[in-house]
Amino acid sequence: LGALLVLFGVHAQNETGTIEGVITKSTTAAPVEGAEVTAVLDGADLVRSTRTDANGHYTFSGLVAGRYGVLVRRDGYLPGPGLGDYVSTAVDVATGKRAAANFTLIQAASLSGRLLDSQGNPERGALLEALRIGYDRFGERLWKVVTVVSTGNSGEYRFESLFPDEYYLRASRGNLSQTPGPSANGGELYYPGSVNAAGATSIALREGEQRVADFSGDFQKGYSITGRVACAIPGMDRLPRTELTLLPRYVGAPAETIQGRPLIQLREGSDGRFQISGVVPGFYELSAVARIRGATGDDVTYVSTTAIQISDQDAEASALTLQPGVEVRGRLIADAQGQNLRLAGAIRGLGLERVQNSLVPSLMRRDGLGGPFRAVVDDAGTSYRFSNVPPGAYVISANSLMMAPAYLTEVLSRNAYEGGILVGSESVFADLVVNSDGGTIEGTVRDTQDNTVQLVLVPAAQYRNKPFAYRTAALVTSSGSFKMTGVPPGHYTLFARDAKDTSQPFMNADYVARHVDRGVLVSVRKNSTTTGIVVERIPDGTPWRLSE
C-alpha cells in the first residue's frame, strides 16, 4: 500500500508544473527578502501566495497547467502601472515543467524637509510640488508635476514613494484644494530659495535614499492682471465659454504644462472681464481659448493670445478678441517632381482610395492650445484645406500616426517654420511634398504575451536634440511579427512597449528619451526591406534615468 501511495504521488506531481524565481533590487542585484508573491490561475479561483527567502527565492509547486498571473509586492518598493501595489507578469505553466518568473524591484526614495522664510519662521500650509523636467512632443522642455503635498505647522513636508530621479521643488501659498500651477496661488519659491524657475536647483535621488532638503526664502510680492475677452465670431452675439491660461516665459527655464490647467474659466454669456491675482514679476503669455461645436458636429477652436510683462505694479492686458481663423491650403505634390497625385499615378501605383484614406494632413500648435486640426482633402487627392486656423506657429504632418506608405518630406511656403508653418491674419498657402521611396521594416517582438505591444520608431540622429517619436505601430499578429512601411530613408531606433499602459503616452518625448537607449538600431534605404529585426518589449513601468 505504501508503494502504491508513493507511485500515486509521483504520478500526480508529473501532472502538475512549477513556477519559481528570484526577486532582486534593480541597481545592486541584491536579493529582496520577505517580498509577497502571489500566483493566480487565469479564469479560475486558484490563488497561491508565498514570500521570498533570504536569497530572494520563491517556489510554487503542484500547479495545474495553464496561464498564471504572478504578482509581487514589498513595502518600500515601487509598484507596476495600474496594479495597485504590485508588479506582475504572465507565466505559462506546462505539465512536468518548471517556469521561471524573475522580478527586479525598484526601491522607492523619499524626500523630506522644512520650508522656512528668510527669518527662519515656518511657512505653514504652503503648497509644495515635486517637479521633474519633461518634454513636449516637439522636444521642448517643460515642468511635469509628479506629486503635491502641503506643509505642516512647523513647515515640514514629506514626499514618499518617489522613483529614483532628479526633482525640483516649487512652493506657493495655498492649499491642496486649489489648482497647482504658475501664479494660481500667489508668489512662488523654488528650491533652494529662488523666486523664479531660472534659479531652481535639482535634487538627485538614488534608489532607496531618504533625502532631507530644507529650503528658505521669501515669496515675491504678486500683482494683478486685469482685462477683458471680446467675441467677434460671426453669428455669436455673446461670449462663449472661454478658458484663460497664463504661462511664464522664463529665459533658460522649462515651460509650464498647459493641458488640463486653465487658470480662469469665463462662463458663457459673461461680459468677459477677468482679474488674475498674485502674478509675480516676469514675462508671460496670456491665452483665451474657446471650443464651439461646428455645423459638422466637430469642435471649432478659437484662440487669442497676448504677451504681458509684470514689473512692479498691476498690469492691464491688451484686448483678447476671439475671432475666426484663416484658411490654410495648398497642393499635395508627389515625389518632389511637381506633379500632383493624380498625374503621378497616386504615388507610384498606390490606389487613389488608399492615398485619400492615409494621407490626411494635420496641424498641431507648438504651444499645445486647441489642436490638432485635420485637413479636408479634395476628391482627386491633389489638394488639401484647413479652415478656421487661429494665428500661431504650427507643425504640419501628413498623418497623425504616420502610418501611410507615403510620407511628408517638405513644406513649400513663405510661411514655412521649423517643419511647419506660421499663421497670421491672412490665408496661408503651403504645398506639401510627399514621397513614396520609403523602405520597410519587418521583424518580431519577444514577450508579446497578449499581443498588445506598441512599436515606437525614433530618428537616431534627432532624438538627443529633439527627442520625440517619429512613428508608431500597433502589433496585432498572433506570431508577434510586425511590418512598418513607408519609412523615410535614414537611421532609426526601434523599441516596443505595452500598448495597454496609458500612464506613459508613447508619443511623449520624455518617455522616448528614457527608453530609446534600450532600442534596436535600424537602417532604412529607399524602396528596400530591412528584415530580421528582433525587438524586446520594455518592462512595464521601468523608470530609466533621463539623459538630456
Side-chain angles (χ1 to χ4, degrees):
L1 179 60
L4 289 175
L5 289 175
V6 170
L7 290 174
F8 178 79
V10 171
H11 179 71
Q13 291 178 6
N14 290 335
E15 291 184 349
T16 60
T18 300
I19 298 176
E20 64 178 351
V22 177
I23 316 291
T24 56
K25 294 183 180 180
S26 65
T27 54
T28 64
V32 178
E33 183 180 4
E36 178 187 342
V37 187
T38 302
V40 182
L41 179 60
D42 188 16
D45 294 331
L46 178 59
V47 179
R48 297 272 296 274
S49 293
T50 187
R51 290 189 179 273
T52 55
D53 58 22
N55 296 317
H57 182 264
Y58 74 92
T59 302
F60 292 112
S61 58
L63 299 176
V64 297
R67 167 160 286 197
Y68 286 79
V70 181
L71 300 86
V72 177
R73 68 174 300 276
R74 180 72 164 87
D75 290 342
Y77 289 79
L78 296 170
L83 289 169
D85 295 333
Y86 293 91
V87 176
S88 70
T89 190
V91 179
D92 290 319
V93 174
T95 300
K97 303 293 184 180
R98 304 179 74 87
N102 300 320
F103 291 84
T104 300
L105 299 186
I106 302 168
Q107 192 170 9
S110 67
L111 180 61
S112 62
R114 297 181 66 198
L115 174 61
L116 310 173
D117 63 20
S118 60
Q119 305 301 315
N121 300 313
E123 286 283 358
R124 302 181 181 88
L127 196 70
L128 202 59
E129 298 170 283
L131 309 170
R132 57 178 306 276
I133 294 178
Y135 294 87
D136 65 15
R137 62 179 300 170
F138 307 118
E140 302 298 334
R141 298 198 313 163
L142 52 76
W143 290 123
K144 296 182 66 177
V145 179
V146 177
T147 184
V148 183
V149 298
S150 184
T151 58
N153 290 332
S154 61
E156 77 279 5
Y157 73 89
R158 185 173 184 84
F159 294 103
E160 298 277 8
S161 299
L162 295 176
F163 281 109
D165 209 334
E166 288 190 28
Y167 294 88
Y168 295 80
L169 296 180
R170 177 169 62 192
S172 57
R173 287 197 172 100
N175 54 64
L176 290 176
S177 64
Q178 295 176 289
T179 301
S183 308
N185 304 311
E188 298 161 357
L189 191 66
Y190 290 82
Y191 176 86
S194 173
V195 294
N196 61 63
T201 300
S202 65
I203 300 173
L205 293 181
R206 297 186 298 272
E207 182 175 355
E209 183 179 8
Q210 298 182 13
R211 181 78 172 270
V212 176
D214 298 331
F215 69 109
S216 62
D218 294 322
F219 290 100
Q220 192 170 7
K221 179 182 178 181
Y223 299 91
S224 295
I225 299 175
T226 57
R228 183 178 183 180
V229 180
C231 180
I233 303 173
M236 297 199 66
D237 56 0
R238 61 179 184 174
L239 186 73
R241 183 177 179 273
T242 304
E243 295 179 348
L244 290 176
T245 302
L246 184 68
L247 293 180
R249 296 304 185 194
Y250 299 123
V251 177
E256 291 291 339
T257 305
I258 291 178
Q259 289 81 359
R261 301 180 72 176
L263 195 59
I264 293 178
Q265 294 187 359
L266 302 177
R267 69 180 185 279
E268 182 179 356
S270 71
D271 62 4
R273 298 184 185 277
F274 64 85
Q275 177 175 334
I276 304 173
S277 302
V279 183
V280 298
F283 293 91
Y284 295 86
E285 189 174 86
L286 177 63
S287 299
V289 183
R291 297 174 178 86
I292 302 173
R293 185 59 57 88
T296 60
D298 297 329
D299 285 344
V300 180
T301 302
Y302 300 87
V303 181
S304 182
T305 300
T306 186
I308 295 177
Q309 180 181 0
I310 300 294
S311 53
D312 56 357
Q313 60 183 3
D314 296 339
E316 184 172 354
S318 57
L320 287 167
T321 303
L322 299 174
Q323 54 189 352
V326 301
E327 188 174 70
V328 177
R329 64 181 183 272
R331 297 177 299 166
L332 292 172
I333 301 175
D335 295 331
Q337 300 298 318
Q339 304 175 16
N340 60 39
L341 301 188
R342 174 185 288 174
L343 298 179
I347 307 186
R348 294 189 181 177
L350 297 176
L352 179 60
E353 180 181 356
R354 179 75 176 275
V355 173
Q356 291 173 336
N357 289 340
S358 59
L359 290 178
V360 179
S362 64
L363 282 178
M364 172 67 75
R365 285 178 63 105
R366 289 191 66 90
D367 59 13
L369 291 171
F373 296 85
R374 305 294 184 193
V376 174
V377 180
D378 69 348
D379 292 338
T382 61
S383 63
Y384 73 95
R385 174 174 52 84
F386 292 98
S387 300
N388 197 51
V389 180
Y394 294 83
V395 171
I396 191 167
S397 62
N399 185 280
S400 60
L401 289 179
M402 300 301 288
M403 288 296 295
Y407 55 93
L408 179 67
T409 61
E410 193 173 1
V411 178
L412 302 178
S413 173
R414 63 182 179 86
N415 297 75
Y417 168 76
E418 293 187 3
I421 55 174
L422 290 174
V423 176
S425 58
E426 299 179 353
S427 296
V428 174
F429 298 89
D431 289 339
L432 307 183
V433 181
V434 181
N435 199 292
S436 62
D437 284 337
T440 299
I441 303 174
E442 294 183 358
T444 57
V445 176
R446 291 178 180 170
D447 192 22
T448 59
Q449 296 181 0
D450 50 8
N451 303 315
T452 56
V453 171
Q454 193 85 29
L455 294 174
V456 182
L457 186 66
V458 185
Q462 298 179 23
Y463 81 86
R464 289 293 189 192
N465 196 19
K466 296 289 184 181
F468 60 93
Y470 170 75
R471 179 178 299 212
T472 63
L475 178 65
V476 295
T477 61
S478 59
S479 64
S481 62
F482 67 87
K483 182 177 183 180
M484 304 180 76
T485 60
V487 181
H491 301 287
Y492 298 87
T493 301
L494 183 66
F495 67 88
R497 63 179 290 276
D498 185 353
K500 294 191 300 182
D501 177 19
T502 58
S503 63
Q504 296 283 2
F506 58 84
M507 290 294 285
N508 179 276
D510 177 38
Y511 183 88
V512 172
R514 285 170 171 265
H515 293 87
V516 73
D517 287 338
R518 292 287 303 275
V520 178
L521 294 178
V522 181
S523 295
V524 179
R525 292 175 296 181
K526 289 184 178 181
N527 300 315
S528 66
T529 300
T530 303
T531 60
I533 302 300
V534 179
V535 183
E536 292 190 3
R537 181 166 64 91
I538 296 295
D540 301 341
T542 302
W544 298 100
R545 176 73 174 274
L546 174 64
S547 298
E548 296 187 42

